[in-house]
Structure formats: C-alpha cells, structure tokens
C-alpha cells in the first residue's frame, strides 16, 4: 500500500483546478461524460446547462485544436471541424460586439438577427480573406446595402473550409450580452434565428450554450424554432462521472506524483492505465458506477465516514453533500472538496493510515460551499445581495416567513429596492418575495419541502452560514 503522506502530496500535485474564463483546459483533464457526448456533436445546435456544468469549459476545449483532437476520439465528427467562437467570456470586439455595442446598435433600431448575421459574415470574411467595414455599424450598413453580395459570400464559403471539412461557430456566455432580461431575450432569440438561417448551408454549423434560466424563457417563439429544439442537449454530471473525472486527473499528475497514483490505481484495479496521445486514459468501466470505481475511492478514503457504517460511505457521502436542490453537482465543487480534504488531512491527521480522513472530507464540503457561492455569484450577483449575511444563523428547514422577515429588515421596500449592478437581475422580482423565492428554487439554491418549509442544500447552506441539525457546520 502506498504511504498516505506520499499520496497526499501526489493528489495535491494533480490538476484539480478547473479552467475558467474561457481558458483552454490543461492536458490530461479532458473528461467527456457520456451525457455530454450529444452536446458536443456538431448537429446539437442548442446546449443547456446550469452554472458550473461545463458550458465555458467546452467552448474553450472546442476552440483548441489539440483538445478538439482528443474530443474527436469520442465525437469523431469533430475531426473535420474548423471552429470559431462567435461570443464568449473573452472580449473580442472585432469578432463580436460587447454589451455596450449591442446596446448602441439596438438603440438604433437594429434587429438582433442582423447583428448575429454580421458576426457570422465577419467569420466567413476572415476565412475567405474578403474585406468588410471596420465597425459593426459599418458592417451592418454594408449588409443592408449589398444583400446579393452577402448571399453570394455565404454560398461560396464552402471553398474556404476545404474538402470534407465544415465550419462550426460557437456561442457562449450570452448573459454578458445585455443588462436586462428583455434585451437579453431579444438578443438570444435573434441568435437562434441566425442559427436556423445557417441550417440552409450544410458546411456551416452553430452551437449555442445557454444557461437553464435563459432557455426557460420565450426565446424560441418564432417560426420553425422546433428545428433547433429537436437538437437540444443538456449538460449534467452523474456521480460516477465526477469520480471518473477525478481519477483521470489523478493518474495524469506530473512526475513521480503521477507514478504514485498510477501505482495505487494498478494495485486496486489490476491493470495500469493506458497512455494515449501524451496522457493517460481511463477504460470505460472506470467511467461507470460500480465496485471498481468505489474501490478506487476507498483506497484513498476508506469504507466509512467514521468508525463504522452508521456514518455513511465516503464514495457517496461527498457527492450527496455537494448537490444543489435539483441534484446537480458542479465538477469544480467536487474537485475543490477533494483538494481541501487532502490539505486538511495533511495538516491535521498526518498519522492517519489513509490519504483522506473522514473529518477532512467534511471540511472539504465547507471549502466547496464557499467556492460554489462565489461561483454562482459570478453569473447571478443578486444571489449574494439577498443571501450573503442576510440569513446567517437561521436553521433550515424553516418557514418561508422567517426568511422574509430577514429580507424585509434589509430591504423594506421589497426586492426591487435592493442595490443592483449591470448584470441581469432576478427574473421575477416584480412578484415580490415569492418571486425571489421561486427564482432561487429554479437555481437550485433553495428547496420547497412538501410541508411548505424552505430548505437549502449543504452546498449553499454552509457557505451562506445557515445551520442544520446534525449537518455539516458552517465555518466561523
């Protein structure tokens, strides 16, 4: 058996950080859950998922030729793709407008559909080395004055991609395109109409990543939208996907750290991981729930969350405490919990015979909760406004009236009186506190119990400082 101190150092050397802000994923971290394969296929025009499930991750991966080749081993059609990003977290004003430019163009009466067609035309002009005006207003004016030339350029663009290749344009982070829901709806609706227009050209494909709350709105109320909806794929992570992703990263740790973890893997599984294209890969059985996957985690954390089975099983316990109220789990939360549990075991339980102490796994949940709170606030800053410090000390489940009392003290004029920034506000704040409650339930932050009490999953409860009888305690 490997020395637990050596294992802890090896785990902490593994690539447990996830990419963010559109950065390309690191080699050896590209794990494709079976549920994501449909989303990555070129014919999937609409991909929907909550915060942290991989929308920006896959945008960055698709943009990278090296990583796209790795995905191609699972989704072979991507081997023929020439990928371009049409909107993302990374600003690129020459290739797509930012929120301020969108606002200016819309104020001039421009149809969002035409703005997105201009983005597509700019992409094709780059591929074909054809000129276009320098500004977005100029490009739109040129398109309006030259409709036949626009049609001819798109029709002839197949030559720019070469034989057997196709162009794929990817759109992500569309919540950054506007500061209010009405404008954002119009922008997304216009984009989907432009994607439908592209379907007339078989060598051109588009993929739109949307947040779940965006997709739930009336953005597909236009003719033939069903042709896009039938291609819709949803991003989600099952517990076995998370464990598979963890072990892919562990066996790809650098230098002697990777050798240590691959030795543990071989001793547990019976066979060493296979090396392919410069990184180690997991066999399909290790990507599914089963005794082998469980045995691997038990090699790190043991069979129980305490001295006997009454306390639960680490393999399932950690996952269960990282789910939101809809059962969704963020890969970043899981990896953060494992990293923190390893550090805590190293600091507090140096002589423990396993790499991960069960009490350290609980503290890992605390760290993951802090990260998840920060993560959701990136997309929904208003969540912090109403929850950060407002409900501290409350025990859940509790009556909704107790939560309203806290909110009312902070914002006597209702949710509409809370300070705002330039990001999208709560969707249903105009309905008062009940509307805010429903928005938080849709996000998976709150849960409505059968007895009408309000609950909050540990993933958020710990970070926001609420209590629960017998649950993981908040820090401080």
């Amino acid at each position: 058996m490997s020395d637990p101190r050596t294992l802890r150092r090896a785990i902490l050397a593994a690539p447990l950080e996830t990419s963010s802000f559109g950065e390309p994923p690191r080699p050896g971290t590209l794990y494709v859950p079976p549920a994501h394969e449909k989303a990555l296929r070129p014919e999937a025009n609409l991909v929907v998922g909550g915060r942290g499930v991989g929308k920006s991750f896959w945008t960055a991966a698709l943009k990278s030729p090296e990583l796209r080749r790795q995905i191609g081993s699972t989704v072979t059609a991507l081997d023929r793709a020439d990928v371009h990003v049409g909107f993302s977290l990374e600003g690129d004003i020459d290739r797509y407008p930012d929120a301020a430019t969108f606002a200016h163009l819309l104020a001039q009466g421009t149809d969002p559909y035409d703005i997105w067609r201009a983005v597509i035309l700019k992409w094709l002009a780059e591929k074909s080395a054809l000129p276009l005006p320098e500004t977005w207003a100029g490009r739109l004016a040129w398109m309006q004055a030259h409709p036949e030339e626009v049609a001819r350029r798109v029709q002839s663009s197949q030559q720019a991609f070469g034989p057997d290749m196709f162009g794929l344009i990817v759109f992500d982070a569309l919540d950054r395109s506007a500061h209010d829901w009405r404008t954002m709806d119009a922008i997304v609706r216009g984009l989907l109409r432009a994607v439908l227009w592209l379907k007339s050209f078989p060598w051109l494909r588009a993929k739109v990543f949307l947040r779940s709350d965006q997709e739930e709105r009336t953005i597909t109320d236009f003719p033939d939208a069903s042709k896009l909806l039938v291609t819709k794929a949803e991003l989600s992570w099952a517990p076995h996907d998370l464990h598979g992703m963890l072990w892919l990263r562990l066996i790809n740790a650098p230098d002697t750290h990777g050798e240590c973890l691959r030795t543990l893997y071989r001793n547990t599984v019976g066979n060493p991981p296979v090396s392919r294209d410069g990184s180690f890969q997991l066999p399909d059985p290790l990507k599914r729930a089963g005794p082998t996957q469980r045995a691997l985690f038990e090699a790190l954390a043991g069979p129980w969350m305490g001295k006997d089975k009454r306390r639960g099983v680490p393999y399932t316990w950690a996952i269960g405490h990282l789910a939101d109220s809809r059962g969704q789990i963020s890969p970043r939360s899981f990896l953060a919990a494992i990293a923190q549990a390893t550090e805590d075991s190293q600091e507090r339980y140096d002589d423990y015979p396993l790499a991960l102490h069960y009490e350290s796994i609980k503290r890992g949940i605390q760290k993951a909760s802090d990260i998840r709170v920060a993560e959701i606030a990136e997309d929904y800053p208003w969540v912090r406004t109403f929850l950060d410090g407002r409900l501290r000390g409350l025990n859940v489940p509790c009556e909704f009236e107790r939560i309203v009392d806290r909110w009312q003290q902070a914002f006597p004029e209702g949710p509409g009186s809370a300070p705002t920034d330039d990001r999208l506000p709560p969707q249903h704040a105009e309905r008062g506190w009940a509307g805010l409650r429903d928005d938080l339930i849709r996000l998976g932050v709150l849960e409505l119990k059968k007895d009408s009490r309000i609950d909050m999953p540990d993933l958020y409860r710990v970070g926001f400082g609420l209590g629960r009888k017998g649950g993981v305690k908040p820090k401080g």
Side-chain angles (χ1 to χ4, degrees):
M1 179 178 291
S2 300
D3 174 64
R5 297 183 181 90
T6 305
L7 280 175
R8 291 174 197 136
R9 290 192 293 270
I11 294 169
L12 293 174
L16 297 185
E17 291 289 332
T18 59
S19 65
S20 58
F21 298 105
E23 300 168 0
R26 294 169 59 181
T29 66
L30 192 69
Y31 184 83
V32 184
H36 291 210
E37 291 180 19
K38 179 183 176 182
L40 293 172
R41 292 172 187 157
E43 60 269 21
N45 299 128
L46 186 58
V47 181
V48 179
R51 181 64 172 94
V53 297
K55 298 186 296 299
S56 294
F57 178 94
W58 289 125
T59 297
L62 288 169
K63 185 173 64 174
S64 164
E66 177 188 355
L67 293 170
R68 198 163 61 247
R69 283 193 294 272
Q70 292 185 40
I71 301 172
S73 64
T74 303
V75 184
T76 55
L78 289 176
D79 290 337
R80 301 185 293 108
D82 186 324
V83 179
H84 178 85
V85 175
F87 197 88
S88 76
L89 284 169
E90 294 182 353
D92 191 343
I93 190 62
D94 193 48
R95 292 185 170 182
Y96 45 85
D98 59 7
T101 305
F102 260 115
H104 176 75
L105 294 172
L106 294 175
Q108 305 303 311
T110 309
D111 188 334
Y113 168 70
D114 290 328
I115 299 175
W116 290 117
R117 289 210 312 151
V119 170
I120 293 167
L121 193 66
K122 177 64 171 68
W123 164 44
L124 300 180
E126 286 182 6
K127 289 296 299 181
S128 304
L130 295 173
L132 272 182
E134 290 297 318
T135 67
W136 288 105
R139 291 165 187 165
L140 286 157
W142 183 89
M143 286 174 57
Q144 186 175 17
H146 301 86
E148 182 177 344
E149 178 65 14
V150 169
R152 290 185 181 278
R153 285 193 179 191
V154 178
Q155 188 66 49
S156 64
S157 64
Q158 186 173 15
Q159 302 170 13
F161 293 99
D164 300 323
M165 296 291 289
F166 64 89
L168 174 64
I169 185 167
V170 180
F171 303 88
D172 180 39
L174 291 158
D175 56 294
R176 307 300 177 100
S177 65
H179 305 316
D180 65 88
W181 282 101
R182 185 181 297 274
T183 303
M184 191 277 297
D185 288 347
I187 289 171
V188 175
R189 189 181 297 111
L191 172 57
L192 296 182
R193 289 173 56 209
V195 170
L196 187 60
W197 166 64
L198 276 188
K199 280 185 166 293
S200 301
F201 311 100
W203 62 94
L204 299 177
R205 313 285 179 86
K207 188 178 298 295
V208 180
F209 289 98
L210 285 182
R211 293 184 343 192
S212 301
D213 57 339
Q214 291 174 304
E215 188 263 339
E216 291 168 357
R217 297 175 66 84
T218 57
I219 57 171
T220 56
D221 55 349
F222 57 87
D224 291 330
S226 60
K227 294 179 181 178
L228 299 181
L229 291 173
V230 74
T231 75
K232 185 177 79 169
E234 298 198 18
L235 296 177
S236 62
W237 288 80
H240 58 267
D241 294 327
L242 295 165
H243 281 283
M245 173 195 64
L246 170 66
W247 276 99
L248 179 72
R249 290 167 181 257
L250 292 181
I251 62 176
N252 280 288
D255 307 322
T256 58
H257 302 297
E259 294 174 10
C260 170
L261 290 162
R262 289 190 292 274
T263 297
L264 178 68
Y265 174 100
R266 184 187 65 234
N267 291 341
T268 305
V269 175
N271 299 299
V274 176
S275 177
R276 185 175 67 240
D277 297 329
S279 63
F280 292 91
Q281 303 297 317
L282 286 181
D284 286 341
L286 264 297
K287 297 179 182 180
R288 297 191 291 269
T292 306
Q293 194 183 73
R294 176 169 172 166
L296 273 174
F297 199 72
E298 288 184 357
L300 298 177
W304 314 121
M305 283 296 296
K307 295 181 180 180
D308 55 49
K309 63 182 180 181
R310 292 177 298 175
R311 300 295 182 182
V313 176
Y315 174 66
T316 55
W317 190 95
I319 294 287
H321 286 74
L322 289 171
D324 66 15
S325 65
R326 301 164 303 169
Q328 299 295 309
I329 308 164
S330 158
R332 188 179 299 174
S333 299
F334 181 61
L335 294 176
I338 298 302
Q340 180 61 29
T342 307
E343 290 182 8
D344 192 83
S345 298
Q346 190 177 60
E347 295 171 4
R348 296 172 185 260
Y349 307 103
D350 182 62
D351 294 331
Y352 191 63
L354 293 165
L356 303 181
H357 194 281
Y358 50 84
E359 292 295 338
S360 296
I361 294 176
K362 295 177 184 177
R363 294 188 185 96
I365 302 301
Q366 293 176 332
K367 178 67 173 181
S369 183
D370 288 341
I371 289 176
R372 182 59 175 176
V373 165
E375 188 178 48
I376 199 166
E378 291 174 8
D379 277 0
Y380 306 93
W382 58 267
V383 171
R384 275 197 185 277
T385 301
F386 292 103
L387 295 184
D388 201 4
R390 308 296 181 195
L391 308 183
R392 184 169 294 277
L394 275 182
N395 271 5
V396 289
C398 68
E399 290 72 24
F400 181 53
E401 289 72 17
R402 296 191 64 193
I403 296 175
V404 171
D405 287 343
R406 295 286 190 95
W407 285 341
Q408 198 72 39
Q409 290 174 26
F411 310 110
E413 303 302 319
S417 65
T420 59
D421 57 13
D422 61 353
R423 300 292 301 283
L424 294 171
Q427 288 194 61
H428 302 98
E430 74 281 355
R431 289 174 39 211
W433 299 124
L436 181 63
R437 174 200 61 199
D438 292 347
D439 285 341
L440 288 167
I441 289 173
R442 286 187 180 92
L443 291 181
V445 178
L446 295 182
E447 179 182 0
L448 183 64
K449 308 290 284 186
K450 291 181 179 179
D451 61 4
S452 297
R453 289 185 300 166
I454 297 296
D455 202 356
M456 183 181 287
D458 285 355
L459 179 64
Y460 294 110
R461 178 187 63 78
V462 174
F464 284 124
L466 284 75
R468 182 194 305 283
K469 186 178 179 180
V472 178
K473 295 180 179 179
K475 290 192 298 184

